[in-house]
């Protein structure tokens, strides 16, 4: 995979031969140290090409030209990295806003008008993954607490009461479902209205 990314960097986008760009994206700016020409290596190459010791002025001019080339190269890829980062941020922000608007403005659908159980608040609800059943446990309606247990299908269209009084009527409790499908009721308040239970 790394070799494929390196080939894309060099051939398609003409990205410099680097190491850090491979792990992110081909158009990223390479923050690795500049691969400048080595003075000794350059003198050996010029000596091999000309057959005699190169002029120091030629070496210095070549080194200066290489430094200028690397500075221009670095500036070019830094600007490309900035443009790529801005585009990625805009895409992420646009996608997040699109999802937010999609879920915020999507219409709601009432699945069941008369489910059988009384209107209530502060009840416990849990989905059992073993059979896909939904359980509504306890809760209150402002006048009384409930201790019943209702079960419905995953779609929420069919409900049936399993137990009328399974425990002390309460609200504000937690409901857990174990891996084996057992339901656990934790805590809760047996008070009515604004008066909590002792």
């Amino acid at each position: 995979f790394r070799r494929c990314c390196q080939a894309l960097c060099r051939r398609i986008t003409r990205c410099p031969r680097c190491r850090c760009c491979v792990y992110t994206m081909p158009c990223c700016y390479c923050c690795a140290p500049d691969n400048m020409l080595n003075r000794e290596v350059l003198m050996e190459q010029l000596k091999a090409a000309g057959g005699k010791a190169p002029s120091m002025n030629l070496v210095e001019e070549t080194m200066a030209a290489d430094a200028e080339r690397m500075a221009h190269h670095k500036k070019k890829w830094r600007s490309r990295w900035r443009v790529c980062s801005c585009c990625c941020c805009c895409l992420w922000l646009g996608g997040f806003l699109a999802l937010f608007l999609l879920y915020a403005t999507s219409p709601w659908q009432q699945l069941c008008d008369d489910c059988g159980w009384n209107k209530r608040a502060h009840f416990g609800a849990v989905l059992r993954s073993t059979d896909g059943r939904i359980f509504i446990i306890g809760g209150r309606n402002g006048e009384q607490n409930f201790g019943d247990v209702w079960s419905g299908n995953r779609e929420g269209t069919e409900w049936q009461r399993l137990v009328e009084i399974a425990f002390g009527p309460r609200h504000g409790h937690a409901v857990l479902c174990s891996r084996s499908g057992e339901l656990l009721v934790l805590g809760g308040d047996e008070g009515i209205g604004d008066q909590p239970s002792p």
Side-chain angles (χ1 to χ4, degrees):
F1 178 75
R2 185 196 300 182
R3 293 179 179 176
C4 293
C5 292
Q6 290 176 346
L8 290 175
C9 290
R10 294 194 297 267
R11 298 180 182 179
I12 298 179
T13 62
R14 298 182 180 179
C15 181
R17 298 185 62 181
C18 54
R19 297 179 180 178
C20 59
C21 299
V22 177
Y23 300 102
T24 53
M25 59 184 68
C27 55
C28 274
Y29 161 67
C30 179
C31 56
D34 294 341
N35 188 16
M36 301 288 293
L37 290 176
N38 185 274
R39 187 182 300 272
E40 288 75 12
V41 175
L42 178 60
M43 293 180 64
E44 292 293 336
Q45 292 177 352
L46 293 176
K47 183 178 180 180
K52 59 180 180 178
S55 173
M56 294 304 298
N57 293 332
L58 178 61
V59 174
E60 294 298 333
E61 291 177 359
T62 306
M63 295 294 296
D66 183 65
E68 183 178 357
R69 178 186 62 84
M70 291 301 299
H72 175 72
H73 176 80
K74 193 172 184 179
K75 182 180 180 180
K76 177 182 65 175
W77 283 99
R78 184 185 289 114
S79 61
R80 292 186 180 182
W81 176 80
R82 289 174 180 173
V83 172
C84 180
S85 299
C86 293
C87 292
C88 290
C89 292
C90 292
L91 288 176
W92 279 101
L93 182 60
F96 175 77
L97 291 177
L99 290 177
F100 177 78
L101 293 176
L102 177 63
Y103 285 102
T105 60
S106 58
W108 289 81
Q109 180 181 0
Q110 185 177 9
L111 300 179
C112 182
D113 187 16
D114 185 11
C115 300
W117 39 275
N118 298 327
K119 297 180 179 180
R120 62 190 69 189
H122 307 292
F123 55 87
V126 67
L127 173 65
R128 188 164 63 183
S129 59
T130 55
D131 54 2
R133 302 289 296 180
I134 304 175
F135 293 89
I136 300 294
I137 302 175
R140 72 172 186 177
N141 60 0
E143 298 179 356
Q144 62 175 339
N145 292 321
F146 299 100
D148 52 356
V149 178
W150 289 79
S151 174
N153 56 0
R154 184 184 293 270
E155 292 75 18
T157 56
E158 299 178 359
W159 293 87
Q160 59 179 348
R161 184 169 59 185
L162 301 181
V163 182
E164 183 175 359
I165 301 294
F167 45 81
R170 66 190 66 192
H171 65 274
H173 51 279
V175 180
L176 301 178
C177 182
S178 64
R179 294 184 178 180
S180 59
E182 298 179 348
L183 302 180
L184 306 176
V185 177
L186 307 177
D189 190 355
E190 297 180 353
I192 299 176
D194 298 332
Q195 300 179 356
S197 60

